[in-house]
Amino acid sequence: MAEKKPKYYLTTPIYYTNGLPHIGHAYSTIVCDTIRRYKRMLGYDVVMTTGTDEHGVNVERSARKAGVPESEFVAKMAAVWRETWDELGIQGDEFIRTTDVTHAHTVQWLFRLCRENGYVYKGNYVGQYCIYDNAYVADAGPGDNCPDCGRPTETVTEENYFFKLSAFQKPLLDLYAKHPEFIQPETRRNEALSFVEGGLRDLSITRTAIRWGIPVPGEEPHVFYVWFDALTAYLSAVGGPDYERHGFWPADVHVVGKEIIRFHAVYWPAFLMAAGLPLPKQIWAHGWLLMESSKMSKSRGNVVKPRPIANVLGMDALRYFLLREVVFGQDGNFSYDALVQRYNSDLANGLGNLASRTLTMIEKYCGGKIPEAKAPVETKYNVQVGARHAVSAFQRAFEQFQFSNGLQAIWELISLADRYLAETRPWAIADNPGNHERLATILHTAARGLSIAAVLAHPVLPEATQKIWSQLGQQRRLQDFQLQELDWGQLKPNTRIGKVEAIFPRVEVSETIERMEAMEKEASQPAKAPASAAAGATAGATPAAQPANNKIAIEDFMKVEMRVGQVHTVERVQGADKLLKVNVDIGGEVRQIVAGIAQHYKPEDLVGRKVIVVVNLQPRKLRGVESNGMIVAASVGPEGRPVLAGFLEEVEVGARLK
Ligand code: MSP
């Protein structure tokens, strides 16, 4: 009889559908997918839930703006989220939409349990509400801004159902004391602790001013507060009222961003305690992905989308970068420069190079078969011992979700195997038949080191490691491989290797960055966005912002401030053959703008020329140089040759275009 596997349940946040995925969201999801793959390799029966949070006033407004019913709007957006995760190699087991009927039943059931147990009552609420964060703002008055996102709050007066959160101060403090591991990392634990110690006010959990929500049975027009609704998705994904039969509740871990810790570590366990249901075992809050020191977010307009990166460098490169570069639990910086540097140093020169040189030599010198280790080889570098260290250091780190350290341990093994090859120089001894046994031992050892690195890196680099695995002649899918099976002897001599192909070809830094930036830019031009929301994601444009006929109102056009400018000075940008740094006088102010026109305009031909400048763009850095505006040009022909816009008549510098 097959042995019963232990179960493991983890969740990503349930993402809002009034926006589209950027790499900040991708970070949470990639982390969970990595944990899922790792736990599967340890023999767990794993379920990972992700999904979309589709109710609330924001969606109501976005759908109205787009001129479509809410249900149609969210269906298209949910499809985009799902597709994006597929493209990033995410293996979600459950994709829950909060508009699913089974989810509505779970929310209504949870409410009934809380009410039957005496934790729900009807009352009046008057106060300030932030519609973007979907949260009441305590201690705020009319006209105050939300302390979290800085946007204006709205005054609401409503008859609501209240949840007796105040009754849970002690039970929550007891929970945190008894299970110090419940909230991770320590800083977030302290934050939740002081929030609860400061006293808890009852929480309104229904709304009457919103239509787009799950109805409270028999109490229309009450609908559930979006957080009461969304948090419950974790439970509906694994059976809802029938959770015991499914066997996956309580969750082992909810992975969330640090700004939503209060909802997960305070409200959610309180709802569950009130209903008499088991509590999740852990809430793990990660930090933010920052872009030039500020949080990447749609409202700041500094988002980077995953698709251009996946298209140019492959999804594994993005996964590796995020997990290697960001210390889990802390904020981390994203830049294209750092991404491409890491790609070249760790993936192309590191793992990719070890794979291609080892496999190419096996093909060339050993007839394409894994050789047998026969003769001992004198060496400073013991790959077998290094592999043993890597396995234990990797596992220790991954058990603690310290992904960056785990990857570092694997890369130490890769570099050890590289140094071993550099020292033993198999290519230099291959011509002499007398060295045959020694050569076989060296290549055997390198192949074993490579295979262990590939197995360990699989949860982070699923695609590339599977390719290496197949090139090593292994027939079984790597994702079915169990870490317990990992041992130095698993690579059987005489196995025929597969076709040797480059895994991570080295790329030219500036050209690669320019390609990704151009794709990103292209994708965020709404005019080119296809009409469907699914394609809109490629375009990075929120369908909500687009009226059905793709036309914009004059007020939208007027938001773009364009002025006549005159070029002062021009220089080339070091290391970027397409970019020029142009200083333009826009009337009383000289702006530095980085323009991608270097291959079509010589600096000396531009000086003195009048150009059209978009002056109210957010500043951004291109190849490390700040650009403060944009020079308008036509994009001509299939390769998009830039042709600068200008005037036939004399115009004054600084004049606004309307
Ligand atoms: N719908 C709620 C979650 C409900 S869970 C029951 C929500 N959605 S969200 O789409 O706004 O954010 C989802 C997650 O994405 C959050 O955990 C948030 O921290 C994460 N991120 C959004 N921007 C991010 C970065 N720039 N960096 C890292 N994570 C980021 O909140």
Side-chain angles (χ1 to χ4, degrees):
M1 208 176 79
E3 210 183 304
K4 220 166 165 244
K5 292 179 170 181
K7 293 189 192 261
Y8 190 88
Y9 179 39
L10 81 161
T11 64
T12 75
I14 306 296
Y15 300 101
Y16 286 133
T17 40
N18 53 313
L20 291 167
H22 56 65
I23 62 168
H25 305 116
Y27 179 62
S28 304
T29 316
I30 288 172
V31 162
C32 287
D33 183 68
T34 300
I35 300 172
R36 178 190 183 278
R37 289 173 185 272
Y38 168 69
K39 291 285 175 185
R40 277 189 52 149
M41 289 182 91
L42 284 177
Y44 285 87
D45 182 7
V46 188
V47 166
M48 166 178 150
T49 289
T50 186
T52 39
D53 184 353
E54 305 186 0
H55 289 123
V57 71
N58 279 328
V59 168
E60 232 172 64
R61 289 182 184 177
S62 299
R64 198 176 317 128
K65 233 170 154 185
V68 293
E70 288 93 351
S71 55
E72 193 179 309
F73 179 81
V74 294
K76 285 182 176 167
M77 296 297 273
V80 176
W81 283 86
R82 217 191 259 262
E83 252 171 48
T84 306
W85 300 151
D86 282 348
E87 283 176 26
L88 296 180
I90 309 292
Q91 294 182 327
D93 303 284
E94 299 295 336
F95 189 99
I96 187 98
R97 296 182 52 197
T98 58
T99 50
D100 290 342
V101 177
T102 49
H103 169 69
H105 290 156
T106 307
V107 174
Q108 292 165 343
W109 166 74
L110 184 71
F111 177 75
R112 207 175 55 242
L113 292 179
C114 293
R115 197 177 186 180
E116 281 168 6
N117 292 340
Y119 292 108
V120 169
Y121 64 93
K122 213 176 219 179
N124 278 318
Y125 178 86
V126 183
Q128 296 306 115
Y129 188 73
C130 172
I131 62 154
Y132 296 96
D133 293 340
N134 287 309
Y136 286 116
V137 181
D139 307 322
D144 284 353
N145 288 340
C146 167
D148 285 336
C149 70
R151 286 178 276 211
T153 57
E154 294 184 8
T155 307
V156 291
T157 310
E158 284 186 0
E159 183 196 53
N160 288 168
Y161 275 99
F162 279 80
F163 175 78
K164 276 193 198 160
L165 186 63
S166 54
F168 290 92
Q169 183 181 32
K170 176 141 187 345
L172 284 168
L173 293 175
D174 289 346
L175 167 71
Y176 304 157
K178 196 162 164 220
H179 295 283
E181 76 292 351
F182 180 67
I183 307 167
Q184 291 292 322
E186 193 65 21
T187 43
R188 303 297 153 221
R189 180 172 186 273
N190 294 338
E191 205 177 290
L193 198 63
S194 55
F195 178 76
V196 176
E197 279 170 346
L200 294 174
R201 287 201 213 171
D202 291 350
L203 182 75
S204 137
I205 52 165
T206 68
R207 300 282 181 273
T208 47
I210 300 170
R211 235 179 357 89
W212 184 240
I214 298 175
V216 181
E219 302 283 351
E220 291 81 3
H222 283 268
V223 298
F224 287 102
Y225 166 47
V226 283
W227 278 98
F228 190 83
D229 165 350
L231 288 160
T232 309
Y234 298 141
L235 190 48
S236 14
V238 286
D242 207 12
Y243 71 91
E244 277 172 306
R245 200 172 54 79
H246 284 243
F248 280 94
W249 190 259
D252 289 274
V253 63
H254 294 311
V255 172
V256 300
K258 64 180 182 183
E259 83 283 17
I260 53 176
I261 189 73
R262 188 180 7 130
F263 301 100
H264 285 81
V266 181
Y267 298 177
W268 181 225
F271 297 156
L272 292 167
M273 284 190 221
L277 294 169
L279 306 183
K281 293 179 197 153
Q282 193 168 58
I283 316 291
W284 231 111
H286 61 71
W288 287 337
L289 212 54
L290 308 175
M291 187 76 178
E292 280 150 23
S293 311
S294 63
K295 185 188 178 213
M296 191 176 291
S297 78
K298 190 174 84 172
S299 56
R300 286 194 181 84
N302 62 350
V303 298
V304 171
K305 284 177 264 7
R307 194 170 283 170
I309 300 174
N311 282 350
V312 174
L313 292 175
M315 68 173 190
D316 279 4
L318 175 63
R319 294 172 64 104
Y320 177 79
F321 176 81
L322 293 177
L323 292 190
R324 177 69 182 85
E325 193 83 5
V326 182
V327 174
F328 193 57
Q330 297 176 15
D331 290 348
N333 278 303
F334 175 85
S335 78
Y336 283 117
D337 242 315
L339 168 72
V340 180
Q341 303 289 0
R342 271 244 178 250
Y343 173 91
N344 273 340
S345 66
D346 297 10
L347 298 178
N349 293 351
L351 181 60
N353 185 45
L354 177 67
S356 79
R357 68 204 291 221
T358 306
L359 289 156
T360 308
M361 286 191 280
I362 293 178
E363 186 64 61
K364 200 163 155 196
Y365 307 136
C366 310
K369 290 191 178 155
I370 305 281
E372 197 167 349
K374 283 188 181 147
V377 172
E378 275 294 299
T379 168
K380 293 206 281 279
Y381 304 109
N382 191 329
V383 181
Q384 186 168 357
V385 170
R388 216 171 27 239
H389 283 158
V391 173
S392 59
F394 160 83
Q395 240 177 304
R396 240 188 348 264
F398 265 51
E399 283 302 312
Q400 305 291 320
F401 295 167
Q402 292 307 314
F403 308 106
S404 186
N405 289 344
L407 288 169
Q408 205 176 330
I410 306 173
W411 260 255
E412 275 163 23
L413 169 63
I414 292 170
S415 121
L416 182 72
D418 261 337
R419 278 175 290 151
Y420 170 76
L421 286 175
E423 187 205 31
T424 54
R425 298 167 51 82
W427 54 90
I429 61 169
D431 286 346
N432 183 345
N435 287 331
H436 182 77
E437 290 196 347
R438 184 179 159 78
L439 179 70
T441 304
I442 296 170
L443 293 179
H444 173 95
T445 308
R448 280 187 165 174
L450 172 67
S451 82
I452 287 173
V455 170
L456 297 182
H458 181 68
V460 179
L461 301 172
E463 206 172 66
T465 52
Q466 175 58 53
K467 283 188 193 157
I468 296 175
W469 195 241
S470 307
Q471 293 187 28
L472 280 165
Q474 306 302 302
Q475 303 300 329
R476 224 168 107 203
R477 286 185 316 171
L478 185 48
Q479 67 177 43
D480 298 329
F481 191 87
Q482 301 289 287
L483 278 179
Q484 294 93 303
E485 298 173 60
L486 190 62
D487 106 81
W488 185 247
Q490 89 218 354
L491 211 58
K492 298 281 168 270
N494 254 333
T495 307
R496 181 91 192 75
I497 64 167
K499 188 162 182 283
V500 183
E501 274 164 24
I503 310 288
F504 293 113
R506 217 186 135 69
V507 296
E508 203 278 310
V509 181
S510 48
E511 194 232 311
T512 308
I513 295 176
E514 278 163 33
R515 270 176 67 201
M516 286 188 288
E517 284 184 340
M519 274 190 194
E520 179 81 42
K521 205 162 141 200
E522 164 105 351
S524 37
Q525 278 169 7
K528 291 193 184 164
S532 87
T538 331
T542 309
Q546 298 285 309
N549 60 6
N550 244 349
K551 300 246 164 57
I552 60 165
I554 183 77
E555 307 83 69
D556 290 326
F557 172 72
M558 290 307 285
K559 286 184 199 151
V560 183
E561 189 183 337
M562 284 189 277
R563 294 197 178 270
V564 177
Q566 186 162 33
V567 177
H568 242 277
T569 53
V570 187
E571 300 168 37
R572 293 190 182 276
V573 174
Q574 288 251 316
D577 50 4
K578 295 198 180 130
L579 299 182
L580 290 181
K581 186 166 89 181
V582 188
N583 282 315
V584 190
D585 179 355
I586 55 165
E589 184 191 343
V590 175
R591 284 286 181 91
Q592 173 175 297
I593 298 174
V594 178
I597 54 175
Q599 291 178 329
H600 304 277
Y601 290 91
K602 289 199 203 112
E604 56 273 27
D605 295 343
L606 288 172
V607 175
R609 182 165 172 158
K610 292 217 171 120
V611 289
I612 299 172
V613 178
V614 180
V615 296
N616 62 340
L617 278 182
Q618 299 221 357
R620 60 188 221 128
K621 278 197 178 147
L622 289 160
R623 309 306 320 283
V625 183
E626 179 155 310
S627 183
N628 231 316
M630 189 173 87
I631 301 180
V632 177
S635 173
V636 179
E639 79 288 8
R641 177 170 60 89
V643 177
L644 293 180
F647 296 91
L648 294 173
E649 291 163 52
E650 202 37 56
V651 281
E652 199 180 310
V653 170
R656 180 162 183 184
L657 276 83
K658 290 186 179 170

